[in-house]
Amino acid sequence: MRSESANGTREDLADWSQPVIVDYLHELYVNRIGEGHTSLRVLTLSHGRLWRFVILGDETRLLAARREIVGIARLAGLKASALDEIDQLMLTELMDVIVTRFLRTPAMARSYSQVVLGAASRVASFSSPTIVA
C-alpha cells in the first residue's frame, strides 16, 4: 500500500470506527468497573482517543494517551494488565467488524485489515513495562 493511500485508509478507518470503538470500550469497562463508576466516562473516552492515535499511527500522542489511561485506570482500581486485555479484545472486535462490514469488498477489507495489523504491533509495543509503569 502506498504511503498516501495508507494514510487515507487509516484516516477513513479512524473516522468510521470511532463510534464502534467507544461503544465497545464502554461495554468492556462497564464489565470491569461498573456502570455507575465515576471514572467510566473519562476512561472510555480517553481510551477511545488512544485507539484513534493507534489507528492513525501517531506514536507520540498514543504513548502520552496510554500514560494518561494507565493513571486513570489505577484510580479506578484497574491494573495495566486489564488495559492490555481490553486492547486485545478491541483488536479482535475491530477485525470482526471489518470482516463483517466488508465481506463483499475484499480489497477494502484487506486494506483495513492491514491497518489493524499495524495497530496490533503498536498495541504490543505499549504493553511494555517501561511504558505502562
Side-chain angles (χ1 to χ4, degrees):
M1 207 180 332
R2 289 189 330 210
S3 180
E4 63 191 41
S5 176
N7 287 339
T9 301
R10 278 194 291 271
E11 289 172 13
D12 187 47
L13 177 59
D15 288 343
W16 70 253
S17 68
Q18 195 67 33
V20 172
I21 290 169
V22 170
D23 286 349
Y24 192 61
L25 288 170
H26 181 267
E27 178 183 321
L28 293 171
Y29 280 118
V30 165
N31 290 335
R32 282 163 181 78
I33 63 175
E35 183 73 46
H37 198 283
T38 57
S39 297
L40 178 62
R41 180 174 164 77
V42 69
L43 195 52
T44 300
L45 293 176
S46 294
H47 208 152
R49 189 173 56 250
L50 173 132
W51 269 94
R52 183 168 182 81
F53 300 147
V54 167
I55 291 168
L56 293 173
D58 189 335
E59 300 284 333
T60 303
R61 292 169 84 185
L62 82 86
L63 292 175
R66 177 64 176 193
R67 286 185 188 97
E68 175 185 323
I69 291 165
V70 168
I72 298 166
R74 282 187 183 140
L75 293 173
L78 295 173
K79 295 183 179 183
S81 61
L83 297 176
D84 294 341
E85 181 183 332
I86 287 169
D87 286 328
Q88 292 304 313
L89 291 168
M90 190 70 252
L91 280 169
T92 301
E93 180 69 7
L94 271 177
M95 288 302 288
D96 288 349
V97 168
I98 289 167
V99 168
T100 302
R101 185 173 182 182
F102 298 99
L103 184 62
R104 296 177 196 254
T105 53
M108 188 68 80
R110 187 172 32 261
S111 293
Y112 287 137
S113 295
Q114 288 172 339
V115 172
V116 173
L117 288 174
S121 69
R122 286 186 284 283
V123 167
S125 74
F126 61 63
S127 63
S128 154
T130 59
I131 295 172
V132 297

